[in-house]
Amino acid sequence: MGRLSYMMKRAAKMDYGAMLKTANMLHKKTGKSRIWLLSDMAKCAARYNAGYIDYKIAEMYRLNDAQRATQITRGISNSIVARMNDKKFWHFFDNKTEFNQLFSAQVKRGWLNLLEASEEDFAKFLEGRGDIICKPIDGSSGQGILKCTPEEYGDPKALYQRLREAGIGIVEDKVIQHPAIAALCPTSVNTIRVATLLGDKKEGIVYAYIRIGNGKVMDNVDCGGMAAPVDIETGVITGVGANKAGETYEIHPMTGTKIPGTQIPYWEDVKTMCLNAMHVVPQVRFVAWDVAITEDGPVFIEGNSFPSHAIPQFAAHFPDGIGILPRFEEFIDL
């Protein structure tokens, strides 16, 4: 009855216009009929808790039932988060100032809570600084993030007001990334998404992907960036860059740098940092850490208590159609 109630609520909230738009797009891409695609989407929703975005990104239309059962769909991901992460403790990750305070040893950069700072505090913070990154306190997917250069510091009072009016709650020093990572795309800080899980069976890193920008300040896939899988043992990028549109890149289109085969510097330090950090708030057992690599080692950008399931779904990273869910089953029963 609980599952039936969940499905009824999902059906009531479904964006049927977007679902039809997806079917039209996939019809042009695959030649499959719209009726078949819509019917198959409904089947995947009922059987695998898959939304139409899951269906598109994981290319479920080309998978058999056994392959589909290995995909981490929205419904399955949400159930893992609900089971593993006590919502009363999400604030340590959702609130960026709380995160920076709790993980200051791993953040390793100057920052200021703009909601509590006066104009004078802000002006003092800017003294002698380079570029700063300005974020909403509780934003996600790169939304609302701005970069300010020293040329914009001319009138700190005006900048303070502009940032407050834009909903900015925290300002931080810009991370200067390692040249090996900047070579992939220099316009963004290309972060590694490392997901850790304090499972019932075992604990450790479930998956790791590098997110690479494509011309914008952000590397996020929701902002046009791409992602590529990283081997957990070696830190070597093992696959092509892929984005939400289904485009794949072995060679970065901006820089001409080959993506597969790139070694992530300080990889053992990255793993150690994330594995230690996952015990700091043990009530939040499934966390996706966003890690930047500087010339001096890894630093945290943020931690996510409700990790997006989009990146570990990209079909380009699972050519045999077997998704990442079996990896989760090594840690927890599903």
Side-chain angles (χ1 to χ4, degrees):
M1 191 66 179
R3 180 176 173 78
L4 177 61
S5 175
Y6 170 77
M7 293 303 298
M8 290 176 67
K9 289 179 181 178
R10 280 282 304 275
K13 294 180 179 180
M14 182 69 71
D15 185 341
Y16 291 99
M19 188 174 174
L20 180 59
K21 184 177 179 180
T22 300
N24 287 332
M25 184 271 290
L26 294 178
H27 164 70
K28 294 177 182 177
K29 179 179 180 179
T30 68
K32 296 180 183 293
S33 76
R34 296 176 180 85
I35 296 299
W36 185 90
L37 287 163
L38 288 167
S39 174
D40 200 44
M41 282 186 209
K43 172 186 172 181
C44 288
R47 188 172 295 182
Y48 309 108
N49 282 331
Y52 63 88
I53 296 176
D54 299 328
Y55 188 84
K56 177 182 71 172
I57 293 176
E59 297 183 2
M60 297 183 80
Y61 50 83
R62 68 177 178 85
L63 305 180
N64 59 39
D65 286 345
Q67 292 168 323
R68 289 172 171 182
T70 67
Q71 308 301 315
I72 183 165
T73 61
R74 176 183 176 184
I76 293 172
S77 178
N78 289 358
S79 69
I80 292 173
V81 170
R83 182 172 139 206
M84 295 287 107
N85 296 349
D86 187 334
K87 201 167 185 176
K88 294 193 297 292
F89 295 86
W90 287 14
H91 61 92
F92 288 114
F93 301 89
D94 298 346
N95 184 295
K96 290 179 172 56
T97 60
E98 288 191 54
F99 181 85
N100 282 9
Q101 288 170 342
L102 188 60
F103 296 97
S104 60
Q106 296 88 1
V107 169
K108 300 178 184 176
R109 60 187 175 277
W111 60 277
L112 181 72
N113 184 339
L114 200 65
L115 299 182
E116 297 179 355
S118 65
E119 292 178 354
E120 292 74 19
D121 294 331
F122 181 62
K124 186 175 181 179
F125 177 79
L126 293 179
E127 292 176 4
R129 285 197 133 77
D131 294 352
I132 57 171
I133 302 299
C134 313
K135 307 175 182 178
I137 285 287
D138 55 1
S140 62
S141 300
Q143 299 300 312
I145 293 180
L146 305 171
K147 182 177 80 170
C148 291
T149 65
E151 288 73 28
E152 298 174 87
Y153 296 175
D155 186 348
K157 181 180 291 188
L159 180 58
Y160 176 89
Q161 293 299 330
R162 180 165 70 87
L163 293 178
R164 289 292 298 266
E165 289 169 6
I168 297 301
I170 185 171
V171 292
E172 303 177 342
D173 288 330
K174 178 186 174 183
V175 171
I176 307 301
Q177 65 187 334
H178 193 286
I181 304 300
L184 293 168
C185 180
T187 63
S188 59
V189 175
N190 307 305
T191 57
I192 297 91
R193 169 65 61 92
V194 181
T196 57
L197 183 56
L198 285 166
D200 304 314
K201 297 178 180 178
K202 71 175 187 178
E203 61 183 51
I205 297 172
V206 187
Y207 61 76
Y209 287 82
I210 184 170
R211 302 184 302 177
I212 307 167
N214 197 8
K216 296 184 179 180
V217 174
M218 296 301 300
D219 64 349
N220 200 291
V221 296
D222 290 321
C223 298
M226 64 188 77
V230 177
D231 183 87
I232 295 173
E233 293 302 318
T234 65
V236 173
I237 301 176
T238 58
V240 297
N243 63 21
K244 274 194 166 183
E247 299 165 328
T248 60
Y249 303 94
E250 182 174 6
I251 306 297
H252 196 284
M254 279 183 55
T255 62
T257 302
K258 186 178 180 182
I259 296 170
T262 299
Q263 172 70 58
I264 306 298
Y266 294 107
W267 183 244
E268 289 301 318
D269 292 341
V270 171
K271 290 195 293 183
T272 298
M273 185 171 75
C274 294
L275 291 171
N276 288 338
M278 73 178 177
H279 293 282
V280 174
V281 186
Q283 298 85 355
V284 181
R285 300 165 63 188
F286 176 38
V287 179
W289 310 94
D290 290 340
V291 181
I293 309 298
T294 74
E295 288 196 271
D296 297 320
V299 298
F300 277 157
I301 299 299
E302 63 183 21
N304 300 273
S305 59
F306 202 115
S308 168
H309 62 290
I311 289 175
Q313 277 189 313
F314 288 161
H317 301 146
F318 304 97
D320 61 358
I322 303 300
I324 204 168
L325 208 56
R327 175 68 176 161
F328 278 85
E329 291 174 330
E330 296 176 19
F331 291 79
I332 56 175
D333 289 320
L334 296 172

